[in-house]
Amino acid sequence: MYPFLDLINLTTVSAGVLLIGAAGIIMLKKPLDKVIMFALLQGGFIGMIVSAKYLDVAMVAAIFDPISIVIMLIAISKLDEIRKKKEKSQEEGLIA
Amino acid sequence: MNEIISIVIAAILSWFNFVLIDTWMGLPEKPGVKGADVIGRSVLKRGGDLAGGFFQGNIVCSPDASAGTLLASAACYTIGTPEGGLIAAILVYFGNRLCADPGYAGTTGALTITGIIFAASFIGIGPAYFVVGMVLAIVTIQGINHPLASKLIGKIAEKMGRHTELT
Amino acid sequence: MIIHANVLFTISSYALAVASAVIVGLVLRLPILPERPIRHSWTISIIFPTSVLALGFTAIVFKLGYEGLLVAAVVGVTTAIFAKYLLERILPKPQTEES
Amino acid sequence: MLIQIIGIIVLLMALRTLFAQDRSERMLYLNAMTFGIAGIIALYIQTPFGAIIAITYFVASTISSNAIAYSIGRVKNEILLDE
């Protein structure tokens, strides 16, 4: 009934979500915020694949989602531990 | 006009379904995993209720009756009315066990929404309306205003005797 | 309301699947109900999840094209054996109970 | 009509995820957006495999949300080297 309502289908919604996720990854500063926006981007990515009806590719992409996020989170938490330990040892060195 | 009334009725039915079953299965009582604890404390710090915060955190961290409602209605829409709900129930059970949760809430929600869809198909409300209704219902809990929603959940939990004992 | 013979046949085959799963579970000495409080326990019992698993597996096998009473009974027996011996090994209980 | 309603909700939730202040607030909006995407997939692909893909996507994204929320509690405020 409205002309702009015909524009909204799975393809345009997925493209919008992808653009928002990419903008979030670029704009936000902290690494965990970037990981959250990456999880949003994966939703748009799977929607984009499904809208072209490559269903088997979408299945594989959906299964490999949490694996990539868990690998990134392991790297981030390990890096954070190392940096905190280094800062603490530097302060102790300044005092002593 | 008829479509909008169907969507509203389906949204109200699925809202009561998942809130009552999740509260009855003890989601506001204690956080099942550690991430739910973090989210609940954050909602409390922003001026909400702790039991409602645990409820929202548990929904984020494992597929509960809300996921059972959405996936069972989607499976009923694509596969067929009684069989799709049963297949969705078993898949939700496996997903629950993967997320370190016993899995009572998800399967109970999936089975009850299958019965509700089967009853509602006699008055002309198909399963597709329940998908849209469930998305609208989850937006009222998770997407509009978290402190107000958590206070509402806290009142419901206190009335059903499932309020949290942690502080 | 007219109930066709087809619908009656399907309902009876689901009931047969659940019944055979319950009987084989009783023979294998699964507990009937989990211990109280039910909503926090991890015990595998007959009511939950063996009956639900039997219903789901029967629906999957029927949707794949194999129908009949004998198929339902075989699925029920297989589900009970799966829940007794294999389910703890595939999906283990989490080790560390965290807060 | 049904797909349009869910599509507007998904775009709104994605924008609120981008402009939220707190980190755990972001997780709640992300979960609402995941519900919408799973529903829209099941409404667009009207075959049994569509339902299977929707269920798989939802469970997988819940597992990743669980991991992110766990590491939010573990990493309180991280140190940035280059401002």
Side-chain angles (χ1 to χ4, degrees):
Chain A
M1 62 192 107
Y2 300 108
F4 76 95
L5 216 55
D6 288 336
L7 275 176
I8 298 176
N9 48 20
L10 186 52
T11 313
T12 52
V13 169
S14 309
V17 173
L18 269 172
L19 286 178
I20 290 171
I25 290 180
I26 294 172
M27 276 166 52
L28 299 175
K29 288 271 168 43
K30 300 283 184 65
L32 269 180
D33 290 335
K34 286 183 198 259
V35 173
I36 292 175
M37 298 312 282
F38 182 68
L40 192 144
L41 189 144
Q42 277 173 338
F45 178 64
I46 291 175
M48 186 67 97
I49 296 174
V50 166
S51 76
K53 302 204 171 168
Y54 292 116
L55 295 183
D56 42 356
V57 185
M59 191 89 181
V60 172
I63 290 175
F64 283 164
D65 268 3
I67 300 175
S68 61
I69 286 190
V70 163
I71 290 173
M72 268 194 217
L73 284 175
I74 289 173
I76 285 175
S77 63
K78 192 61 83 178
L79 195 60
D80 188 63
E81 274 182 17
I82 291 174
R83 279 181 182 169
K84 274 179 184 165
K85 209 174 285 177
K86 192 178 168 188
E87 204 173 52
K88 198 191 244 180
S89 69
Q90 272 184 355
E91 284 178 358
E92 283 178 357
L94 281 181
I95 288 171
Chain B
M1 203 60 207
N2 202 2
E3 228 172 3
I4 294 174
I5 294 174
S6 304
I7 288 173
V8 169
I9 291 175
I12 290 171
L13 278 178
S14 44
W15 196 91
F16 277 108
N17 182 39
F18 92 89
V19 168
L20 289 183
I21 286 178
D22 270 350
T23 313
W24 184 49
M25 284 299 169
L27 258 75
E29 265 184 337
K30 69 182 179 70
V33 291
K34 203 172 174 188
D37 191 30
V38 174
I39 293 176
R41 304 270 176 211
S42 157
V43 171
L44 177 66
K45 204 195 300 174
R46 274 184 283 136
D49 189 52
L50 189 59
F54 284 162
F55 185 88
Q56 290 174 334
N58 273 325
I59 285 182
V60 169
C61 285
S62 68
D64 283 310
S66 50
T69 308
L70 176 79
L71 298 178
S73 50
C76 281
Y77 177 59
T78 56
I79 295 178
T81 295
E83 299 97 353
L86 303 177
I87 295 173
I90 182 172
L91 290 176
V92 166
Y93 174 72
F94 282 146
N96 255 323
R97 288 301 287 261
L98 283 179
C99 288
D101 202 26
Y104 293 95
T107 48
T108 314
L111 294 180
T112 52
I113 198 66
T114 308
I116 291 176
I117 288 173
F118 187 70
S121 66
F122 287 114
I123 59 172
I125 300 178
Y129 299 108
F130 278 89
V131 177
V132 184
M134 186 56 216
V135 173
L136 284 174
I138 201 67
V139 164
T140 61
I141 296 290
Q142 308 256 26
I144 294 179
N145 196 345
H146 300 145
L148 279 179
S150 67
K151 276 175 192 166
L152 177 64
I153 298 293
K155 272 180 191 168
I156 293 176
E158 207 158 3
K159 198 157 288 183
M160 290 178 69
R162 294 277 193 267
H163 204 272
T164 178
E165 292 160 358
L166 306 174
T167 52
Chain C
M1 202 170 94
I2 305 168
I3 295 180
H4 290 279
N6 240 340
V7 178
L8 212 59
F9 184 69
T10 310
I11 290 175
S12 62
S13 45
Y14 279 117
L16 181 66
V18 173
S20 64
V22 167
I23 289 171
V24 178
L26 280 177
V27 169
L28 289 177
R29 291 190 191 164
L30 283 170
I32 294 180
L33 274 179
E35 76 269 12
R36 308 264 162 179
I38 291 181
R39 59 181 183 277
H40 295 318
S41 77
W42 281 84
T43 321
I44 290 174
S45 63
I46 289 180
I47 301 295
F48 188 89
T50 309
S51 313
V52 180
L53 287 182
L55 278 176
F57 282 136
T58 315
I60 291 176
V61 172
F62 279 6
K63 266 297 163 183
L64 287 180
Y66 305 100
E67 293 193 9
L69 289 176
L70 184 64
V71 176
V74 170
V75 168
V77 172
T78 316
T79 306
I81 295 174
F82 170 76
K84 170 76 176 173
Y85 293 110
L86 239 63
L87 191 56
E88 278 289 329
R89 198 168 297 178
I90 293 177
L91 301 167
K93 178 181 170 181
Q95 298 296 329
T96 57
E97 284 292 327
E98 45 201 2
S99 78
Chain D
M1 183 68 190
L2 303 176
I3 289 182
Q4 276 89 357
I5 291 174
I6 303 184
I8 291 172
I9 288 174
V10 166
L11 285 179
L12 196 65
M13 284 303 125
L15 278 178
R16 287 197 76 165
T17 311
L18 181 55
F19 293 114
Q21 295 110 16
D22 200 358
R23 199 177 280 161
S24 54
E25 197 179 349
R26 241 175 224 142
M27 292 302 299
L28 295 173
Y29 291 137
L30 178 66
N31 190 21
M33 197 211 72
T34 304
F35 270 84
I37 296 258
I40 208 172
I41 286 175
L43 284 182
Y44 183 74
I45 308 284
Q46 298 177 356
T47 56
F49 201 51
I52 302 295
I53 284 180
I55 293 174
T56 309
Y57 167 66
F58 190 84
V59 171
S61 86
T62 307
I63 292 174
S64 64
S65 291
N66 200 343
I68 291 174
Y70 176 73
S71 72
I72 282 177
R74 199 167 160 201
V75 181
K76 285 294 191 313
N77 44 357
E78 56 265 72
I79 304 163
L80 291 179
L81 282 188
D82 40 5
E83 286 290 331

